[in-house]
Amino acid sequence: DSIKEKIESLNKEVTEREQAEKKLKEFAQRLSIHVEQTPLGVIEWDLDFNVTQWNNAAENIFGYSKKEAIGKTGLELVVPKEIHNLVQPIWNDLAMGKGRARSTNDNITKDGNTIICEWYNTTLLDSNGIAIGVASLVQDITDQKNFEESKDKLEKQLQQSQKMEAIGT
């Protein structure tokens, strides 16, 4: 009788484990779909600033395929050459969890164009609180910035025009 109970108990454990594994697999699939389909660039970096993950939106923003980006550093891919020396201390702070979570930077695309990007960075910590990498969400805001600059310029021209009109009157 006790052997039968043990077998039933083991069967129940196996069934529960299989259900938990199935749920975990489904969650991982949904998360993967989310990362690939989000309109934000999702980039994951190791502690040496090498790309370990690069989604479709990052491809669209910067022009590099996932295959081209994986294993390359941010300096090789997106950081303008003239500020390479400024980036390493910022990167070191990020990798240690001390960096700015949000920043707006000029970046370079594969074809050499300069774009303006907004970055949201998170230090990735393991279960012991040790940094294992950095995750970044990035958005190209070049068009938005250009629109704002054009709007400001037009507002200043309007104000100048109104002053000239007032002087003329």
Side-chain angles (χ1 to χ4, degrees):
D1 189 46
S2 67
I3 292 177
K4 185 178 179 184
E5 288 173 358
K6 285 183 182 182
I7 291 173
E8 287 175 7
S9 175
L10 284 174
N11 282 337
K12 183 179 177 186
E13 272 185 49
V14 168
T15 301
E16 288 172 357
R17 182 172 290 180
E18 287 173 348
Q19 288 173 344
E21 287 174 1
K22 181 181 175 191
K23 284 182 181 179
L24 188 60
K25 185 177 178 182
E26 288 171 356
F27 175 76
Q29 286 175 327
R30 281 195 313 275
L31 183 59
S32 177
I33 290 168
H34 172 70
V35 166
E36 284 307 317
Q37 293 181 2
T38 184
L40 297 174
V42 177
I43 305 171
E44 195 171 304
W45 316 87
D46 66 18
L47 294 176
D48 294 322
F49 202 20
N50 296 306
V51 173
T52 59
Q53 184 171 345
W54 187 268
N55 77 342
N56 293 332
E59 287 185 17
N60 293 334
I61 292 168
F62 296 109
Y64 293 99
S65 69
K66 182 182 287 194
K67 187 177 180 182
E68 292 172 306
I70 299 288
K72 296 268 188 350
T73 69
L75 295 175
E76 294 173 281
L77 297 172
V78 301
V79 178
K81 284 189 181 2
E82 58 272 11
I83 63 167
H84 277 199
N85 60 331
L86 303 174
V87 171
Q88 198 59 50
I90 295 168
W91 176 257
N92 291 342
D93 284 348
L94 265 175
M96 293 178 5
K98 300 178 190 173
R100 291 182 297 164
R102 180 174 178 252
S103 64
T104 302
N105 309 313
D106 284 351
N107 292 111
I108 302 295
T109 62
K110 181 179 178 179
D111 58 14
N113 290 327
T114 299
I115 58 174
I116 303 166
C117 292
E118 191 157 21
W119 292 84
Y120 297 88
N121 304 298
T122 304
T123 304
L124 301 174
L125 304 173
D126 68 12
S127 59
N128 297 317
I130 307 294
I132 57 171
V134 174
S136 298
L137 297 177
V138 60
Q139 181 176 16
D140 179 357
I141 60 168
T142 306
D143 290 341
Q144 177 185 337
K145 285 289 187 185
N146 289 341
F147 173 78
E148 289 170 7
E149 288 174 12
S150 295
K151 182 181 164 204
D152 290 346
K153 190 175 180 181
L154 286 172
E155 285 175 355
K156 286 178 184 168
Q157 287 175 349
L158 176 61
Q159 290 170 356
Q160 186 65 27
S161 174
Q162 289 171 337
K163 284 180 190 175
M164 296 303 283
E165 187 179 329
I167 290 171
T169 306

